[in-house]
Amino acid sequence: MLAQPAGEWSSTGTADELREMFGLVAGDARQLFALPVMWKDRLCGAMLLGWQREVVLEAEDVAYVRDFADRIGVVLSSSAREARLFYQARYDALTDLPNRHLFTERVTQEIARAQRSNLQLVVLFIALDRYKNVNDTMGHAAGDALIREAAARLRKHLRESDTLCRFGGHEFAILLSGDLGPKQADVVAQHAIETLSQPIVTGDVESFITATVGIALYPNDGKSAAELLRNADTACGRAGGQQNYVYFTDSMNQLAMQRSTIERELRQAIERREFMLYYQPKTDFQSGRIVGAEALIRWQHPQRGVVNPGAFIGVAEETGLIVEMGRFALGEGCRQFSDWHSRDIDLRQIAINVSNRQFRAGTVLKDISKNMVEYGLRSGELELEVTESLMVDNFDEVACVLRELRQLGASVALDDFGTGYSSMSYLERLPFDTLKIDMAFVRPIKDNGEGGAIASAIIAMAHSLNKKVVAEGVETQGQVDFLKRLGCHIAQGYFYGKPLPPEEFEALFRRQNPSGGELPNQSAASV
Ligand code: C2E
Ligand code: CA
Ligand code: CA
């Protein structure tokens, strides 16, 4: 009979004590022989031999039994080691919570059950947003304590049947089982966010973290554990570190999938020179003549045809590929402009978009002056469209570069004006020529002028700053009338013309700007 002691064990115990200690019913044994089972010099059990009569054991028998007990010690030790390894492979040492492997196993099991019984499951993915900060500034010990406390708080709000796991460094995941849906997910997500936003005291320091939660539901958002977890994670990323919880949607996945494809294809597209520029007219409100064009990049995709920047400019910005693309736009725009001039299309100005990343890359000034010289652009003929966000980080340095740009003879337009983080105080000190009212303030202008308060304020401001003002996204006659009356100088929008390939722009220009003769009706110019 083999037993492990339930309490402290003394080798001097009586048979009755031994029986009690090991919780054994040793029948009517009159004599018990106990042998310790040792593992690494530690007692981990005892072997008991019982006889119904008194016996005298021979030395040989004792040796035999002792050998047997030793073997059992070895077996026990290896099964303990296995148990330890099993535990280490499935639990997180810091929090004692299941780790991602065990969690994935449990999700898989629950999916099988849910499938059989037609149930829903909820997976929540929780990221601690400012954990890295604490870890970096206060050290790993504080970081560890924080994780432990976060785990304890999360655990508190869950039912026994739910599984909480530490998914990775600063990430947790929760599986809610038992036919639960969005209603319960809402509650758990809100609890998690709220409980983690309470200050965490470690030692004598208070730290503040916040949590973001992404939620995926079985069966809608994934049929396998891996898919559900990935989608909950994607949703969490979308919550954007705003103490927010977000449900996974299909479109997130499409985007995530497209992203890597787009990046790969963009790199190829740069090599294969698949980009081209479209040109959108900028029309003088008063004369109705086209006075400029904004160059807008297009991707001539070998399978998908012409792709608008909305589908790739974000990825290009993130990956820095925009620097190369912007350089192309600058060169090609200048080339086209000078080509038009050589063929009597005397457009006054060409506008090129310049991304903040191009400024950061530090080659903007050189690229611009090189192209202006190469294609013979004169002062005022090249306008660079930059966004307000450019000024946020380093106003003085940016202002300095813009000043130099203007010395080269380029003008500067503030694009998408009114949508950035503008602090009005910078406007007076910033060297720029043109304000472009974002279409968000043009779109609401109704035929009776209602909805035009912001556009009209921006126009008034541009006047008093002595800047040229352009309205973007002008689409209706009502908007034209309203903006024109307020003294907006230039219109850009579908009312006057969509972005067009160079030949079509050329044709529009010739129609709209006949040398000498009468202007055609304005709306006839809209494409
Ligand atoms: P953006 O600079 O604000 O360009 C204006 C966008 O508004 C263009 O979209 C244009 O087609 C669209 N648009 C113009 N008029 C109207 C209108 O009346 N109604 C509506 N609904 N939309 C109108 P597009 O060409 O898709 O360009 C989108 C953005 O991509 C641009 O916004 C710009 O931020 C970026 N982009 C385009 N080309 C370049 C480039 O060469 N370099 C850089 N850095 N960014 C570029
Ligand atoms: Ca622009
Ligand atoms: Ca714009």
Side-chain angles (χ1 to χ4, degrees):
M1 210 173 286
L2 185 69
Q4 288 189 271
E8 204 169 298
W9 189 69
S10 137
S11 55
T12 57
T14 65
D16 281 342
E17 277 171 357
L18 282 171
R19 278 196 198 109
E20 198 181 324
M21 169 85 41
F22 292 100
L24 292 173
V25 183
D28 49 359
R30 299 212 32 210
Q31 184 175 336
L32 279 173
F33 181 67
L35 260 180
V37 176
M38 308 291 289
W39 169 42
K40 275 197 184 159
D41 298 332
R42 266 192 52 225
L43 179 70
C44 61
M47 202 169 81
L48 298 183
L49 301 173
W51 284 265
Q52 282 169 331
R53 56 185 168 82
E54 304 269 329
V55 289
V56 178
L57 287 179
E58 300 293 327
E60 201 182 325
D61 297 333
V62 172
Y64 182 74
V65 174
R66 184 156 282 145
D67 181 53
F68 192 57
D70 286 345
R71 284 167 194 243
I72 289 172
V74 172
V75 171
L76 276 183
S77 80
S78 72
S79 82
R81 191 173 339 108
E82 244 167 50
R84 205 177 57 241
L85 289 178
F86 182 88
Y87 190 86
Q88 282 168 354
R90 283 168 178 74
Y91 288 84
D92 168 52
L94 186 60
T95 58
D96 273 336
L97 290 175
N99 64 15
R100 72 162 77 192
H101 300 296
L102 181 53
F103 189 75
T104 311
E105 271 174 28
R106 295 229 174 127
V107 176
T108 306
Q109 283 163 7
E110 285 299 314
I111 285 179
R113 225 157 59 110
Q115 196 180 17
R116 281 195 303 274
S117 326
N118 245 342
L119 304 175
Q120 283 203 103
L121 289 177
V122 180
V123 170
L124 297 99
F125 196 93
I126 302 167
L128 306 184
D129 299 322
R130 273 180 254 154
Y131 162 70
K132 197 174 167 317
N133 227 350
V134 173
N135 216 25
D136 289 351
T137 54
M138 289 159 58
H140 286 301
D144 285 357
L146 191 143
I147 290 288
R148 248 184 261 121
E149 174 63 19
R153 289 187 189 183
L154 288 171
R155 176 80 263 172
K156 222 160 142 191
H157 291 293
L158 297 176
R159 302 165 311 160
E160 265 310 302
S161 55
D162 301 329
T163 308
L164 169 67
C165 99
R166 181 167 179 221
F167 203 75
H170 64 295
E171 294 156 345
F172 293 91
I174 297 174
L175 167 69
L176 306 180
S177 39
D179 203 18
L180 301 180
K183 223 169 86 199
Q184 291 84 358
D186 281 349
V187 174
V188 174
Q190 268 159 9
H191 261 310
I193 289 170
E194 200 188 289
T195 189
L196 293 174
S197 69
Q198 308 296 323
I200 293 183
V201 182
T202 43
D204 46 6
V205 190
E206 252 190 353
S207 358
F208 295 88
I209 51 165
T210 53
T212 333
V213 182
I215 304 170
L217 305 174
Y218 172 85
N220 276 358
D221 304 331
K223 302 275 185 283
S224 70
E227 198 182 350
L228 272 179
L229 280 165
R230 196 176 54 239
N231 290 343
D233 183 9
T234 301
C236 185
R238 281 314 154 86
Q242 306 274 329
Q243 294 220 49
N244 204 350
Y245 67 94
V246 167
Y247 283 86
F248 174 77
T249 63
D250 257 348
S251 61
M252 290 179 185
N253 217 5
Q254 278 165 18
L255 212 88
M257 263 167 25
Q258 280 169 10
R259 246 156 218 271
S260 53
T261 317
I262 290 172
E263 181 181 348
R264 188 167 36 79
E265 289 190 348
L266 275 181
R267 291 187 192 278
Q268 271 179 10
I270 290 176
E271 269 170 33
R272 299 182 188 162
R273 300 171 193 269
E274 288 171 1
F275 294 105
M276 66 174 299
L277 295 179
Y278 273 30
Y279 298 87
Q280 186 175 32
K282 291 184 174 180
T283 306
D284 184 304
F285 268 117
Q286 296 304 328
S287 68
R289 292 176 80 92
I290 296 174
V291 290
E294 176 175 1
L296 293 157
I297 201 155
R298 295 291 180 269
W299 177 7
Q300 283 208 293
H301 193 281
Q303 282 89 40
R304 282 183 271 157
V306 177
V307 182
N308 283 348
F312 61 85
I313 214 93
V315 180
E317 288 275 356
E318 274 170 32
T319 52
L321 292 170
I322 192 75
V323 175
E324 203 44 51
M325 289 158 58
R327 198 172 280 149
F328 157 78
L330 187 64
E332 174 58 16
C334 290
R335 189 203 62 74
Q336 182 67 72
F337 184 83
S338 92
D339 176 59
W340 277 332
H341 268 229
S342 70
R343 292 186 291 113
D344 286 339
I345 300 188
D346 49 354
L347 194 63
R348 270 193 241 155
Q349 195 175 57
I350 179 90
I352 309 281
N353 291 286
V354 183
S355 143
N356 295 0
R357 293 207 57 151
Q358 285 174 268
F359 280 90
R360 262 185 274 147
T363 51
V364 159
L365 272 173
K366 206 177 85 211
D367 288 345
I368 288 167
S369 80
K370 176 178 150 273
N371 281 297
M372 287 183 74
V373 171
E374 182 169 349
Y375 296 110
L377 268 67
R378 288 165 305 182
S379 186
E381 288 183 334
L382 175 63
E383 183 157 77
L384 304 162
E385 297 196 359
V386 304
T387 57
E388 293 166 79
S389 57
L390 181 62
M391 325 307 152
V392 173
D393 285 343
N394 206 336
F395 181 89
D396 292 329
E397 203 174 298
V398 167
C400 188
V401 176
L402 295 185
R403 222 169 279 124
E404 287 186 59
L405 279 178
R406 291 170 95 206
Q407 270 161 15
L408 290 173
S411 0
V412 175
L414 278 190
D415 203 356
D416 306 338
F417 185 76
T419 60
Y421 324 76
S422 35
S423 122
M424 291 297 160
S425 60
Y426 79 91
L427 273 181
E428 263 195 305
R429 294 184 291 131
L430 191 71
F432 72 102
D433 305 87
T434 308
L435 262 189
K436 291 191 82 178
I437 310 171
D438 191 79
M439 57 181 108
F441 310 116
V442 174
R443 200 175 299 128
I445 305 174
K446 299 204 191 112
D447 284 352
N448 62 7
E450 227 179 85
I454 299 191
S456 105
I458 297 176
I459 293 169
M461 193 170 65
H463 286 164
S464 64
L465 286 168
N466 217 5
K467 307 292 182 192
K468 202 165 75 177
V469 54
V470 178
E472 285 191 292
V474 178
E475 293 184 354
T476 69
Q477 184 69 54
Q479 291 163 351
V480 171
D481 296 341
F482 179 84
L483 293 161
K484 191 170 168 182
R485 197 172 64 245
L486 289 173
C488 185
H489 305 118
I490 290 171
Q492 183 180 346
Y494 295 172
F495 183 82
Y496 290 102
K498 287 190 172 174
L500 299 169
E503 321 74 58
E504 288 179 44
F505 177 86
E506 201 174 316
L508 174 67
F509 184 91
R510 289 195 194 277
R511 274 206 310 280
Q512 200 62 18
N513 295 31
S515 30
E518 281 287 298
L519 273 180
N521 190 328
Q522 281 182 1
S523 55
S526 53
V527 182

